Amino acid sequence: MENKENLIKFTLDMCEAASKCVVDMHNTIYEYRKRRQLHQRKLMLIKKKQLALISSILLNKRRQCWALKRPRKFWEKDCQKNGPEFFKENFRMSTSSFKELCKLLQTLKKDDTNFRRAICLEKRVAIALYALGSSIEFKKIANLFGVGKSTVCKCFNEFCQEVWKTLLPLYISALPLNSEEVQEQISGFERLGFPQCLGAIDTCHIKVKPEFDNADDYYNSKDWYSMVLFALVDFRCRFLYINVGNPGRVKDSDIFENSSLKQQLDNCSVLEENSKVINGVKVPVLVLGDAAFKFSTRVMKPYSCDDSANIAQKTFNNQLSKCRKVVDNAFEQLKARFPRIGKGIDSKIDNASSIIRTCCVLHNFLYENNDVVNKDWIRDFKTQQQASELQQPEEITTENDDDRNGEKIRRCLARLFNTQSESSENEIGSADSDDNNDVNIYFESDNEYEYLNDTS
């Protein structure tokens, strides 16, 4: 009986304990649910704030201090209100050329973001052109256009890369040579007075600021730091081929001998096909060089300037010098139009070659659009050159001057020019005695030597 009572008591105690456990469990679950609901309300409040922020962004409710407000007057007002002369003076090209350039550089266009409006394509191109057309610091350009200095640098570098990528195949595509291009150049130089000529070659040293570690490589023979632009120029002062990046210490002849142009001249079958027999001598298509280059059947250079030169040799030198002025004119116009390279490149040496290449491509682009160089730019450049102590290095190479085949061609051309000169003098003498005869006149223009037939 006693055991039975103990068992009942134990059972009641167990039921009471179980009941307490159930109550405690329900209380715990209630507290958990209560805390979870509180957390959910907090999360919902955070989500509402996020949605409100996103909505304000989408509705162009921008943060007031996201970008520094700068005055924007030059491009937005001055360049739009003033005439075409003001535009060309600042950007080195006409408005029509500028619009055409923008059409070709559509990849420079940027999209607006949720935080700010992008600089329009026209302004990005204008910033880069203004930087090329002046030698002032990027900080001043940034203040002028109402942008940051880093923005000017970015626009400038992206512009140079895109011009080289996009415009190079369109405006400097002479290599590999084709028959149509070769015949056009031969005809053009024949009008200038030199037969069988593809173009004129020369180098131009451009002032740079190299790094200290390799500064000696850029120190040229005239005692200043430079980077070399080697070019082949056609009869219209356009660049057919350019080679940029060699330090100023490298010789002109070495640059040419190691260039792809030299390989093309030696191995191109089109040049051989367009050879011509003149006075019994087979004259190949050739280029005109100065005393710095090696003499060969493909490279004509002047005779040595000494007292032993005969009349025919002097006539040859004069004719070659006249026709080689196209390359001098091209370099002069390039530097006059783009003072960034005319007065020296102050950017990093790694960017110097890109800047020079860009100017060369734009030079051809503007020639194709008949966008001429202002005479004032040429005059200012010459004045600046005269005031500057930086002289272009001059080299003389006598290596291979005794090339027998090359000398045979040069003597043939010298006799041809001498005969033409004597015939011209006789015609002028006859014209002086007879006013009714036609007179053939050669005159020098800004870019080339043209032939006129004038009736007295």
Side-chain angles (χ1 to χ4, degrees):
M1 188 68 179
E2 183 178 356
N3 291 335
K4 187 177 180 180
E5 291 178 355
N6 290 336
L7 180 61
I8 292 172
K9 185 179 180 181
F10 175 77
T11 303
L12 292 174
D13 291 339
M14 289 296 294
C15 290
E16 184 178 357
S19 177
K20 288 182 179 180
C21 288
V22 171
V23 172
D24 291 340
M25 183 181 68
H26 281 294
N27 290 337
T28 303
I29 292 174
Y30 174 77
E31 291 295 331
Y32 169 76
R33 288 177 176 175
K34 189 176 180 179
R35 288 195 301 269
R36 188 178 67 174
Q37 289 175 357
L38 180 62
H39 290 162
Q40 287 179 344
R41 285 196 295 268
K42 289 181 179 180
L43 288 175
M44 289 297 296
L45 183 61
I46 293 173
K47 288 182 178 180
K48 287 180 179 180
K49 291 181 178 181
Q50 289 177 339
L51 290 173
L53 178 61
I54 293 173
S55 299
S56 66
I57 292 174
L58 294 177
L59 292 174
N60 286 329
K61 295 181 178 180
R62 307 171 189 273
R63 292 192 291 177
Q64 296 298 318
C65 296
W66 179 256
L68 177 65
K69 290 185 177 181
R70 296 182 173 90
R72 293 178 172 86
K73 180 183 177 184
F74 177 70
W75 172 252
E76 286 77 3
K77 295 182 180 180
D78 295 346
C79 294
Q80 312 306 324
K81 291 182 179 179
N82 291 292
E85 293 182 359
F86 177 88
F87 189 93
K88 185 168 183 176
E89 182 63 31
N90 284 281
F91 303 106
R92 291 341 221 197
M93 64 177 61
S94 65
T95 53
S96 59
S97 298
F98 178 82
K99 293 177 182 178
E100 180 65 23
L101 181 61
C102 290
K103 290 180 182 179
L104 295 171
L105 301 178
Q106 287 295 316
T107 52
L108 290 177
K109 188 176 181 179
K110 305 295 183 181
D111 296 328
D112 294 340
T113 67
N114 292 329
F115 299 98
R116 66 173 70 188
R117 292 187 180 90
I119 300 175
C120 66
L121 171 64
E122 291 76 12
K123 187 173 182 178
R124 299 177 72 88
V125 174
I127 290 173
L129 289 176
Y130 192 90
L132 289 175
S134 66
S135 58
I136 64 175
E137 299 176 352
F138 280 7
K139 180 63 176 178
K140 295 182 179 179
I141 299 175
N143 294 335
L144 188 65
F145 282 87
V147 297
K149 179 181 176 182
S150 61
T151 302
V152 173
C153 296
K154 184 178 180 180
C155 290
F156 184 69
N157 292 331
E158 289 179 350
F159 174 82
C160 291
Q161 295 172 7
E162 192 60 31
V163 166
W164 180 251
K165 176 183 176 181
T166 305
L167 271 64
L168 174 67
L170 301 176
Y171 297 101
I172 303 182
S173 56
L175 300 184
L177 295 168
N178 58 72
S179 181
E180 182 179 354
E181 178 70 23
V182 171
Q183 291 175 5
E184 180 185 0
Q185 298 306 322
I186 291 175
S187 300
F189 274 100
E190 282 182 350
R191 293 196 297 271
L192 300 186
F194 208 105
Q196 293 299 99
C197 181
L198 177 67
I201 58 174
D202 204 353
T203 59
C204 177
H205 286 250
I206 297 172
K207 184 181 177 182
V208 294
K209 292 183 178 180
E211 300 291 340
F212 178 79
D213 296 338
N214 57 356
D216 290 344
D217 295 336
Y218 292 88
Y219 200 66
N220 61 41
S221 60
K222 291 296 183 178
D223 302 330
W224 52 283
Y225 299 102
S226 65
M227 179 177 286
V228 184
L229 163 62
F230 169 77
L232 170 68
V233 177
D234 71 0
F235 66 97
R236 290 184 289 183
C237 300
R238 298 179 308 169
F239 295 109
L240 295 178
Y241 169 86
I242 58 173
N243 183 311
V244 185
N246 284 284
R249 187 180 288 272
V250 181
K251 294 182 178 180
D252 296 358
S253 59
D254 292 339
I255 296 175
F256 173 65
E257 294 297 323
N258 296 318
S259 67
S260 58
L261 175 63
K262 175 65 163 54
Q263 299 176 4
Q264 185 77 190
L265 293 176
D266 290 341
N267 303 318
C268 183
S269 59
V270 175
L271 299 181
E272 191 66 27
E273 293 171 0
N274 284 274
S275 298
K276 181 180 179 180
V277 177
I278 300 176
N279 294 335
V281 178
K282 185 179 180 181
V283 179
V285 180
L286 44 82
V287 296
L288 307 181
D290 58 13
F293 297 97
K294 294 181 181 179
F295 179 61
S296 69
T297 57
R298 296 294 185 187
V299 181
M300 285 292 106
K301 58 187 291 186
Y303 287 98
S304 300
C305 297
D306 52 36
D307 297 336
S308 62
N310 56 41
I311 297 177
Q313 292 174 343
K314 292 179 180 179
T315 303
F316 175 86
N317 287 356
N318 290 336
Q319 197 68 15
L320 185 143
S321 177
K322 289 178 181 179
C323 292
R324 279 195 75 256
K325 279 191 176 181
V326 293
V327 68
D328 296 331
N329 288 338
F331 288 148
E332 183 179 76
Q333 293 170 17
L334 181 74
K335 290 184 173 183
R337 188 188 290 270
F338 303 111
R340 179 66 57 180
I341 65 173
K343 296 181 180 179
I345 300 175
D346 56 0
S347 303
K348 292 182 179 179
I349 191 66
D350 295 336
N351 298 329
S353 59
S354 176
I355 296 172
I356 298 170
R357 291 198 304 259
T358 299
C359 292
C360 292
V361 175
L362 290 176
H363 171 90
N364 279 16
F365 164 76
L366 294 170
Y367 249 89
E368 290 294 329
N369 286 273
N370 297 318
D371 201 333
V372 298
V373 177
N374 288 353
K375 293 182 179 179
D376 292 341
W377 302 345
I378 299 290
R379 183 172 58 252
D380 293 342
F381 171 71
K382 290 182 177 180
T383 302
Q384 182 261 330
Q385 285 292 98
Q386 293 174 357
S388 174
E389 297 180 356
L390 305 181
Q391 298 179 355
Q392 287 289 316
E394 297 179 357
E395 302 174 8
I396 297 178
T397 299
T398 58
E399 184 179 354
N400 209 44
D401 276 3
D402 56 350
D403 184 284
R404 300 179 66 178
N405 293 328
E407 181 57 33
K408 184 178 180 181
I409 296 171
R410 185 162 62 174
R411 281 200 305 266
C412 170
L413 294 175
R415 288 195 298 268
L416 174 65
F417 296 150
N418 189 49
T419 302
Q420 291 175 346
S421 177
E422 292 176 352
S423 176
S424 178
E425 290 177 358
N426 293 333
E427 290 179 2
I428 293 175
S430 299
D432 291 338
S433 61
D434 187 359
D435 290 341
N436 293 324
N437 290 336
D438 290 343
V439 181
N440 293 326
I441 302 175
Y442 283 91
F443 73 98
E444 181 180 357
S445 65
D446 289 340
N447 299 327
E448 62 183 19
Y449 288 79
E450 301 179 9
Y451 177 82
L452 293 183
N453 192 3
D454 183 26
T455 302
S456 301

